[in-house]
Amino acid sequence: MTAEEVAQKLIEHKQLLMEEIVFLIESRSLLSDNLASAARAIEVKNFGKKIFVRGLIEFSNYCRNDCYYCGIRKSNKNVSRYRLSPDQILTACKAGYELGFKTFVLQSGEDSYYTDGLLSEIVSSIKKEFPECAVTLSVGELDSEKYRALRLAGADRFLLRHETADEEHYKKLHPSNMSAANRKSCLFTLRDLGYQVGAGFMVQSPYQTALNLAEDILFLQKLRPHMIGIGPFIHHRDTPFAGFPDGSAELTLYLISILRIMFPSALIPATTALGTIIPDGRERGILSGANVLMPNLSPVGVREKYSLYENKICTGAEAAECIKCLEKRIASIGYEISYDRGDFVDYEQ
């Protein structure tokens, strides 16, 4: 099959074989414009010109893990650590609600200080104060009972990027006490518990191959997540991968288009990493098929401390307080910000 024929198969059938995905990835220079156009058409058909916003609250940069790519890894002694109190988290939600946000994303390192009991209390207090709003958690790998407790407390969604689906590649990015198998197991448990589930992967992380990317996409086909977040690998100076090159924005945008075609109903963010690596990254992400943005609601004094990678943007249009600036930027490419909850809807394929 030619590259054009594989692309057409993708558009018509939404699924591909491993070797076809690899071929598609390797044919980016031939197909990127056509697939971006197809992805935009699907996006507009299902969502109109709406781009959903979620208020991101990064409430702790403590982490028990030592992932080799992450700036807040446990062994990094140069991090200025912080934790937000339940009152500070609720205050951030109140500020976001006044700005119009109907979804709050609570993200942290894997910080054992926040027990499932404490996190459940935080979730419950948000749901009590803002019953019409959705609460999304992104707090890493937990056991099933803790996930269950948080779901019962009112959590609606859970983001847990699998980062890479290949076990051998996973071992190159993480210490030996972590495994791709456990990460995947957590994702399926979250689905079984009724969460709207988000997964995703880094693009061009160290040692990654086109085959690895194809495995990531095949894993997503199996999981069928409600949300898919991908972004380019960006190095951090205080990690073992400090000397590795950053990932490609162009390849990330191309993969967003592929994912939009494969998963017409998915909620796909134009990530902060895209906006960090190229100035118009989020706009280009939307034009490639993304339909979610996550402005930062964290207290201004801690935003720079949640530094997963170098030069992460945390001010300007990335800040929730500048939502009007973001509205103008999105309007400039023909789209509009939506403050709806933006729950997953399973559109016809």
Side-chain angles (χ1 to χ4, degrees):
M1 296 176 73
T2 66
E4 290 77 11
E5 288 170 335
V6 174
Q8 191 58 38
K9 180 180 177 182
L10 169 67
I11 292 167
E12 291 179 2
H13 299 288
K14 313 302 182 191
Q15 292 192 345
L16 294 174
L17 302 174
M18 172 80 78
E19 60 270 21
E20 292 170 333
I21 298 172
V22 172
F23 186 34
L24 204 64
I25 292 168
E26 293 174 343
S27 303
R28 173 164 60 90
S29 61
L30 300 173
L31 300 172
S32 58
D33 290 344
N34 288 343
L35 290 187
S37 179
R40 281 196 302 275
I42 291 169
E43 179 184 18
V44 172
K45 176 185 176 184
N46 287 342
F47 302 98
K49 292 282 188 168
K50 289 183 177 182
I51 303 300
F52 300 108
V53 289
R54 285 77 161 91
L56 177 64
I57 303 168
E58 296 162 332
F59 65 91
S60 170
N61 69 350
Y62 284 84
C63 191
R64 66 185 179 186
N65 292 329
D66 221 13
C67 305
Y68 303 149
Y69 49 83
C70 184
I72 64 169
R73 62 197 304 261
K74 178 178 65 176
S75 64
N76 184 3
K77 305 303 181 185
N78 296 323
V79 178
S80 176
R81 304 285 180 180
Y82 73 91
R83 292 184 176 111
L84 299 186
S85 68
D87 284 345
Q88 287 176 304
I89 294 171
L90 193 59
T91 296
C93 291
K94 288 177 180 177
Y97 187 77
E98 289 174 2
L99 290 168
F101 289 88
K102 296 297 187 294
T103 294
F104 305 114
V105 180
L106 275 56
Q107 184 176 71
S108 72
E110 294 197 15
D111 184 357
S112 57
Y113 172 85
Y114 297 91
T115 62
D116 54 316
L118 179 55
L119 268 180
S120 293
E121 289 176 13
I122 292 168
V123 171
S124 295
S125 67
I126 295 171
K127 297 295 283 191
K128 181 179 179 181
E129 186 84 13
F130 312 107
E132 74 273 34
C133 295
V135 174
T136 303
L137 296 176
S138 180
V139 296
E141 297 179 20
L142 304 172
D143 64 46
S144 60
E145 289 309 307
K146 291 179 179 178
Y147 285 144
R148 187 186 307 277
L150 293 168
R151 179 76 179 119
L152 291 173
D156 302 280
R157 305 167 183 157
F158 204 105
L159 306 180
L160 183 65
R161 295 211 313 189
H162 66 275
E163 302 299 6
T164 177
D166 180 81
E167 190 69 60
E168 290 306 309
H169 186 221
Y170 196 94
K171 290 177 181 177
K172 294 178 180 178
L173 305 181
H174 301 86
S176 59
N177 65 320
M178 300 178 69
S179 72
N182 190 63
R183 183 65 60 100
K184 293 175 187 177
S185 175
C186 286
L187 284 162
F188 283 106
T189 295
L190 289 162
R191 276 209 68 132
D192 290 344
L193 289 171
Y195 285 93
Q196 293 178 43
V197 176
F201 53 88
M202 285 184 290
V203 178
Q204 290 189 319
S205 57
Y207 312 111
Q208 187 183 70
T209 65
L211 186 62
N212 294 146
L213 287 170
E215 289 179 281
D216 286 322
I217 292 171
L218 287 175
F219 171 68
L220 292 174
Q221 288 183 356
K222 181 179 180 182
L223 178 66
R224 306 300 299 179
H226 308 90
M227 301 166 283
I228 303 171
I230 69 170
F233 164 77
I234 304 177
H235 76 279
H236 191 288
R237 63 183 178 277
D238 295 323
T239 70
F241 293 154
F244 280 75
D246 293 339
S248 161
E250 299 299 332
L251 179 56
T252 304
L253 294 166
Y254 182 62
L255 290 167
I256 286 174
S257 296
I258 291 172
L259 291 169
R260 168 57 65 210
I261 295 166
M262 281 188 169
F263 303 95
S265 301
L267 296 158
I268 301 177
T271 61
T272 302
L274 256 180
T276 296
I277 207 164
I278 49 175
D280 61 345
R282 283 163 301 167
E283 291 92 332
R284 291 179 65 187
I286 290 165
L287 293 172
S288 299
N291 65 333
V292 173
L293 294 168
M294 296 200 292
N296 202 320
L297 276 174
S298 306
V300 174
V302 304
R303 290 180 189 172
E304 291 187 355
K305 297 178 181 180
Y306 201 84
S307 177
L308 307 183
Y309 46 81
E310 289 293 295
N311 303 314
K312 176 189 169 189
I313 52 174
C314 56
T315 57
E318 183 62 22
E321 304 82 28
C322 199
I323 191 67
K324 297 302 179 185
C325 312
L326 190 60
E327 285 180 356
K328 291 178 182 177
R329 290 181 63 162
I330 300 311
S332 74
I333 58 171
Y335 289 76
E336 62 177 323
I337 293 295
S338 171
Y339 293 93
D340 296 343
R341 279 174 50 124
D343 286 301
F344 176 84
V345 177
D346 194 6
Y347 294 101
E348 291 185 8
Q349 302 296 299

